[in-house]
Amino acid sequence: MPHRSPDLARLAMTVLQPGFDGTEPPGWLLRALGDEGLGGTVLFARNLTDLGHTADLVARLRAENPAAVIAVDEEGGSVTRLQAARGSSWPGNRALGVGDDAEGTRLVAQEIGRLLASADITLDYAPVADVNANPVNPVIGVRSFGADPELVSRHTAAWISGLQGAGVAACAKHFPGHGDTHTDSHHALPTLHASPRLLAERDLPPFRTAVAAGVRAVMCGHLLIPALDPENPATLSRRITTGLLREQMGFTGMIVTDAIEMRAVAALHPPGEIAVRALAAGADAICAGISAPGGENVNELRDAIVDAVREGRLGEDRLAEAASRVLALSSWYAASATAEARAAGIAARGPGDEGEELGLRTARAAIRVTATAAPTVLPGPPLVVDIAPRLSEAVEPGMLTGLIGAFTELLPGTVGHVVTVEAPELPDLSDRSRPLVMVVHDARRHPWVGELLARAVALRPDTVVVETGMPGEPSGAVYVTTNGISRASARAVARWLTGDQYADL
């Protein structure tokens, strides 16, 4: 007969990390935090208007539950929540890996940590520790430091050191490695066909390094790895979550699921069943990025967990252990978060000059150029055509590269034109007196983008091509790769192509 505790509902609420809609915390969320023991929440760009607002929002949440784990995806580069409106001040992981300055990576993560600490955010779902072995990976790509396990390990450790040194908990993801997949787990369940030996040599080293570096959290990915568990995706696999990560690799921190509404797992089970199975497998926190207007789905998750304990399908000791790890992370943050970072008021003004210069310097170090005929300095204001495919769902909808704005800032009179899959037509390119800059992202992965680019280059052989995603076959008179999307990368490449005095930053 399973033991029944009157605190089961509170324990169940402690392990949940739901998102919410709107820029103000809804009543159900405040009540859940204040009265019901909800363990935390995750913030998205849809919740945040500016940095000062973010700090005020978190303060309202903490007024209900000072120990709440406030989480956010702030990877830098294309995945940014606090700076989604203007683009990240710092390049993403691939750019940092291409530059391969581990100290630069540590400093970037430290600046991101200071930004989050100033808003009193507990946990950053970063860094991405996946080894991007598949260059056409639809969801990782430039979010990874690279394809070399040693390089990824080195920069993963540096990121963790910088972020946690600023008092914010880091979260290595997506265990045990999402880099060699052809499917985006937001849409379907990816299968990683790799032998145990290949996994040990390629995918696991960055996570082993993260554990050794003292990372406070690890996020499990929604992917099936038959060599480890032929039946259950990693999120729901006890062999992977407990057997590999806990017992073999010795991780003692908090394990959090990727968002459970992602189709990779949502197509397999109802949300409550996913939560129960993930907890039974060894997860400690359940991320539910999408919530119903009244928080009904959060209550349903709570009830499913409580029912599973009462039915004997989930041990109460396992649930209590999970809740204790969530609270332990909160306690670590309370002891580590620096009052200095909060008092600095970064939330009110964003990164200072030093942080902006760091972003430009690390972004510039990642730029690679192949020139064939044209000079590398634009003679005047260009026509900038930004071909914008829908990026992965990890990236905020409508995210642009920022190149149009960056060129306009330096060369007034710049003309910008955005091409989308809904309106896939090039503008008039016949005015040869105006330089042409074609901006693409993962052109080799999107056939329609590649076709438009080829058409533009055929019409205008003098085209400057800027690839912001994974590099492909060079085209145009000048082919520039930024190795990521960020405000820093856009400004760095625009300065370099215009011969700006800061081009060598």
Side-chain angles (χ1 to χ4, degrees):
M1 186 75 172
H3 175 66
R4 299 185 181 185
S5 165
D7 297 325
L8 273 182
R10 196 168 191 86
L11 286 175
M13 290 294 276
T14 301
V15 303
L16 301 181
Q17 294 181 0
F20 61 95
D21 288 333
T23 57
E24 298 298 325
W28 70 261
L29 179 64
L30 296 176
R31 288 191 298 274
L33 287 167
D35 300 330
E36 302 169 25
L38 182 64
T41 187
V42 55
L43 303 177
F44 293 91
R46 65 178 184 259
N47 306 127
L48 313 174
T49 59
D50 57 45
L51 298 177
H53 167 263
T54 301
D56 291 342
L57 172 62
V58 174
R60 290 189 62 188
L61 301 175
R62 290 211 182 280
E64 300 297 331
N65 180 0
V69 172
I70 311 299
V72 71
D73 284 290
E74 193 66 39
E75 298 174 10
S78 59
V79 179
T80 174
R81 308 309 187 208
L82 274 71
Q83 297 188 316
R86 70 168 197 163
S88 178
S89 299
W90 303 281
N93 282 8
R94 179 174 172 83
L96 295 172
V98 169
D100 197 15
D101 174 7
E103 175 61 10
T105 295
R106 187 191 70 80
L107 291 172
V108 166
Q110 178 178 274
E111 287 297 310
I112 291 175
R114 287 173 175 169
L115 179 69
L116 300 185
S118 72
D120 208 5
I121 291 173
T122 317
L123 171 66
D124 189 2
Y125 291 151
V128 170
D130 303 313
V131 177
N132 196 62
N134 175 17
V136 292
N137 191 312
V139 67
I140 303 301
V142 294
R143 298 168 64 201
S144 165
F145 291 113
D148 175 57
E150 195 281 328
L151 179 144
V152 175
S153 296
R154 184 167 65 250
H155 287 271
T156 294
W159 179 283
I160 292 166
S161 174
L163 188 77
Q164 295 190 167
V168 175
C171 178
K173 63 184 184 185
H174 308 80
F175 185 81
H178 209 316
D180 192 20
T181 59
H182 292 80
T183 303
D184 184 343
S185 50
H186 292 88
H187 301 299
L189 179 63
T191 299
L192 178 57
H193 295 288
S195 67
R197 179 176 179 178
L198 180 57
L199 290 167
E201 294 176 350
R202 181 191 65 190
D203 299 284
L204 294 179
F207 292 99
R208 293 189 186 280
T209 298
V211 172
V215 72
R216 304 306 303 184
V218 171
M219 177 180 284
C220 268
H222 299 320
L223 60 157
L224 186 68
I225 309 170
L228 300 180
D229 188 332
E231 298 178 356
N232 302 297
T235 316
L236 311 180
S237 171
R238 185 169 178 80
R239 294 183 191 178
I240 294 173
T241 303
T242 297
L244 178 58
L245 182 54
R246 287 276 186 229
E247 297 173 355
Q248 292 185 35
M249 296 175 63
F251 180 60
T252 58
M254 187 187 81
I255 299 175
V256 60
T257 70
D258 210 341
I260 62 171
E261 67 271 11
M262 294 166 64
R263 292 296 297 168
V265 290
L268 302 177
H269 307 287
E273 185 64 16
I274 295 170
V276 168
R277 291 185 180 222
L279 290 165
D284 305 304
I286 308 298
C287 175
I290 298 176
S291 293
E296 294 87 354
N297 67 313
V298 176
N299 293 334
E300 290 169 2
L301 291 173
R302 175 202 62 202
D303 293 345
I305 294 168
V306 169
D307 288 345
V309 173
R310 289 176 174 168
E311 294 165 2
R313 296 194 302 120
L314 174 65
E316 185 174 340
D317 289 346
R318 168 81 273 273
L319 177 59
E321 177 186 54
S324 71
R325 288 204 178 100
V326 173
L327 296 173
L329 186 142
S330 175
S331 296
W332 175 89
Y333 171 75
S336 302
T338 59
E340 178 184 357
R342 299 189 188 109
I346 302 173
R349 66 175 186 269
D353 292 342
E354 183 178 344
E356 292 284 353
E357 290 178 7
L358 172 65
L360 280 171
R361 185 171 67 250
T362 50
R364 175 65 185 88
I367 293 174
R368 298 293 181 267
V369 181
T370 302
T372 58
T376 54
V377 177
L378 297 177
L383 166 62
V384 182
V385 180
D386 194 337
I387 305 179
R390 173 69 174 93
L391 304 180
S392 84
E393 290 192 27
V395 181
E396 293 299 323
M399 170 72 73
L400 296 177
T401 62
L403 264 295
I404 293 173
F407 277 109
T408 302
E409 178 184 350
L410 295 174
L411 294 174
T414 292
V415 175
H417 184 90
V418 177
V419 177
T420 65
V421 69
E422 293 81 13
E425 297 298 327
L426 292 171
D428 181 6
L429 306 179
S430 62
D431 182 4
R432 293 177 177 268
S433 67
R434 184 182 287 276
L436 175 62
V437 178
M438 296 291 298
V439 184
V440 294
H441 186 83
D442 285 352
R444 66 174 173 172
R445 192 168 64 82
H446 299 282
W448 71 275
V449 175
E451 291 169 7
L452 286 178
L453 178 60
R455 192 187 312 165
V457 171
L459 289 169
R460 294 284 302 272
D462 61 320
T463 300
V464 174
V465 179
V466 179
E467 169 62 79
T468 63
M470 297 295 291
E473 187 68 26
S475 63
V478 180
Y479 180 78
V480 186
T481 55
T482 65
N483 292 291
I485 293 176
S486 68
R487 180 170 179 266
S489 298
R491 295 178 69 208
V493 75
R495 289 182 174 198
W496 189 84
L497 285 170
T498 57
D500 185 272
Q501 61 179 319
Y502 298 106
D504 292 328
L505 278 175

